[in-house]
Every structure is written in C-alpha cells, then in structure tokens.
Amino acid sequence: MPIALNPNMRRALAERMRFYNELGIYDFYQRGEAVVAESDSASPVVSQPELREEMAARKSAVVATVVEDNIFAVLTPKPEHGAADPATALKLIREDLGDCTRCKLHQQGRKQIVFGVGNPRAELMFVGEGPGADEDAQGEPFVGRAGQLLNNMIKAMGLQREDVYIANVVKCRPPGNRTPERDECETCSPFLMRQIAVIKPKVVVALGAVAAKNLLAINAPMSELRGRFYDFLPAGGRTNDPSWSGARLAVTYHPAFLLRDPRQKGEAWKDLQMVMKYLGLRPPKADA
Ligand code: SF4
C-alpha cells in the first residue's frame, strides 16, 4: 500500500536528498511501495515526477521513485562521480575495473583487458561487441583489419580516430572470437555505461547487432535497428544533468561484417551520413 507523506515529511526528505547529492551520492534504490502525497481532500495527490522535480531542485539526482521513510539505503557512489574531468573519471573507472575476474571471459585466454581508447570529451563514440585477437594483443579496440576499416569510416566523416572514443560491450576477448554471451555482456556492460556517462557524447554509434541489442535492450534484426536515431541515456546516467541529457544512438554494421560483405558499405555510409548531418560534419575534401 502506498505510504502517504505529509508536507513536513516531504520537505525533510527533500533536504536529506540534497544532503546526499552534495556528498556526491546520486543513486538510490527503492525498497517497498512508492510514496504519494497525502490524498485527503485538502491536499491533491502529487505525481511522482512532480515530487522528483521538487526533490532535485538544486542539483541533479536520479530518483526512480520516492519510497518509505527508510529509503536511504544508499548504493555505494561510483568513484568517478567526484572526478574533475572526463579523463580522470575514465581513469577511475579503469582502476575500479582492475584486473577484472567478474565474468568467465577472464579465464578463457584473454591476454589483457581492452578498456577503450580516444578522446574523453568525444562528441562521437563507437561501440563494438568485443576485442578480437589483434585487440587482445595490443590492448586497444579496433586495431586489426576491422579497425582499419573503422578508421577509414571515421576519416570519411571528416574526423580522425583521436577525435572519437571507441569501446566494446565486453572488454575481454571471447575465445575463438565467438559472440559474447548474455551473462558476459550483462556483467561487463555497466563499465561501458559508466564510460559513456562520463564522456557524454552527442552520438553513440553501435557497430553491429550485439552492440545495438545490448545498448538498447532491444532484440530486433539489423534491418529494423538501422536507419533511425534512438534517445539513449546509459544506465547510471543522470536524467536531469544540466550538462547532458543523453546521446542519440545510431546503429550500423560492424566493420568486420563489412569486410565479409563489402556490398553493405553503401548502407553503412547512409547510417554515417545520418550521424554526420546531426553533428554538422562534412566529408574531407578530396585533396585533403
Ligand atoms: S569481459 Fe568485462 S566483466 Fe568479464 S572479465 Fe573482462 S572486464 Fe571483467
């Protein structure tokens, strides 16, 4: 049964939320029923979004629903929440990842963790599914033949590899380059989400169906996933962050697939042109 709060209690809750916000704590989880305002005749029922807005008046906070008065069972804040800049925040996420053994990929022949590379303030981010042999050897995503093609795609958009940020859904090479399994993606992808949340790109391009399905939590064929933008806020992103309200996400073919079926390059170029238009990018001049 919903718990009713009188105005004094609501004010006290709001103050407490601000207190936690100022400590850098934004993530709360819910236990029990959602709270509604007193529903007596003199006091209109306050919807949860209205209550949330009131509680977040001074600073951003993601609060799914306000809960019973022992609501403040607080999740451990992420180390990067207090970071001064995105480069430091990424470093803190990498440190938090450590010599990760969270999923079984750590014991299936990986040489190293492939965290991600690029501009910590990138407006454009590419996300693939996982490292291959070259990436595993070099510790950097998209450095093999598929990486060369991705570099060419980036150049064709009028950018350099150093301008964007590149990462994968899983950070350890699946043996034999198999598709990462669901539990592996679910275990690893929160780190990717945290990377996206600190980089705050304008556009995320999902390279291939595995990346698209994991980022969007949609199970659909590429033919349905491509050709449009999705509004994307990574899990853990702050819905009322004044500096970033999420990215647009586009889906295109994985470069490794394009190497196998070059006839689809034209379709991929259409996807990239959609992104270029949104970002105001132009292809480089022929003699550039
Ligand atoms: S794939 Fe991700 S979660 Fe799994 S061991 Fe590697 S870094 Fe850890």
Side-chain angles (χ1 to χ4, degrees):
M1 190 180 151
I3 298 168
L5 288 181
N6 64 39
N8 287 338
M9 177 66 83
R10 286 177 52 213
R11 265 194 297 280
L13 278 168
E15 280 307 311
R16 184 63 69 93
M17 296 288 285
R18 287 179 192 128
F19 171 72
Y20 280 115
N21 289 171
E22 282 165 3
L23 290 176
I25 298 168
Y26 298 92
D27 298 325
F28 303 84
Y29 68 84
Q30 175 180 354
R31 190 174 62 189
E33 301 282 355
V35 172
V36 297
E38 278 186 321
S39 57
D40 62 44
S41 56
S43 168
V45 172
V46 178
S47 71
Q48 289 171 14
E50 287 164 3
L51 189 55
R52 183 161 66 238
E53 190 174 85
E54 177 186 335
M55 298 182 99
R58 276 182 59 196
K59 204 167 177 182
S60 61
V62 177
V63 184
T65 45
V66 182
V67 293
E68 58 192 352
D69 60 1
N70 62 350
I71 152 185
F72 299 107
V74 180
L75 290 177
T76 307
K78 302 290 185 290
E80 69 272 17
H81 282 176
D85 58 74
T88 306
L90 287 172
K91 200 161 158 262
L92 291 169
I93 296 170
R94 180 64 188 88
E95 285 172 11
D96 193 22
L97 186 63
D99 187 22
C100 183
T101 57
R102 292 171 178 84
C103 86
K104 60 184 180 293
L105 285 178
H106 85 278
Q107 55 190 7
Q108 297 194 350
R110 81 167 182 212
K111 289 196 176 74
Q112 57 189 313
I113 291 170
V114 180
F115 182 68
V117 71
N119 180 356
R121 298 180 190 272
E123 291 193 345
L124 176 58
M125 191 165 168
F126 289 93
V127 175
E129 69 178 58
D134 294 317
E135 290 75 18
D136 185 45
Q138 296 185 41
E140 185 171 325
F142 285 94
V143 290
R145 282 183 67 225
Q148 286 302 316
L149 180 53
L150 178 61
N151 290 350
N152 291 341
M153 292 160 70
I154 293 167
K155 277 187 197 149
M157 300 175 78
L159 295 170
Q160 300 295 319
R161 182 176 167 99
E162 299 71 35
D163 296 326
V164 306
Y165 194 90
I166 306 170
N168 284 304
V169 173
V170 296
K171 302 190 186 304
C172 298
R173 182 192 182 197
N177 289 346
R178 67 160 168 77
T179 302
E181 292 171 1
R182 184 174 171 173
D183 61 310
E184 296 158 357
C185 293
E186 286 178 356
T187 306
C188 201
S189 61
F191 290 92
L192 170 66
M193 297 296 180
R194 287 165 60 185
Q195 287 169 283
I196 299 173
V198 301
I199 293 167
K200 303 181 182 178
K202 286 185 179 167
V203 176
V204 175
V205 175
L207 297 168
V210 172
K213 289 174 186 177
N214 275 282
L215 289 168
L216 293 169
I218 295 174
N219 196 8
M222 282 295 280
S223 56
E224 289 176 25
L225 291 167
R226 292 180 46 246
R228 54 163 291 195
F229 277 123
Y230 302 80
D231 290 327
F232 177 71
L233 185 71
R238 296 168 193 171
T239 52
N240 49 359
D241 180 344
S243 69
W244 190 64
S245 56
R248 310 214 86 192
L249 189 145
V251 178
T252 194
Y253 293 114
H254 194 287
F257 172 79
L258 295 174
L259 289 172
R260 288 197 299 275
D261 187 356
R263 291 169 304 172
Q264 301 303 325
K265 284 183 179 175
E267 290 299 303
W269 181 233
K270 284 184 201 164
D271 299 330
L272 298 184
Q273 284 178 309
M274 180 178 80
V275 172
M276 290 165 67
K277 189 171 176 197
Y278 181 72
L279 291 176
L281 297 172
R282 293 183 184 282
K285 296 207 170 83
D287 57 354

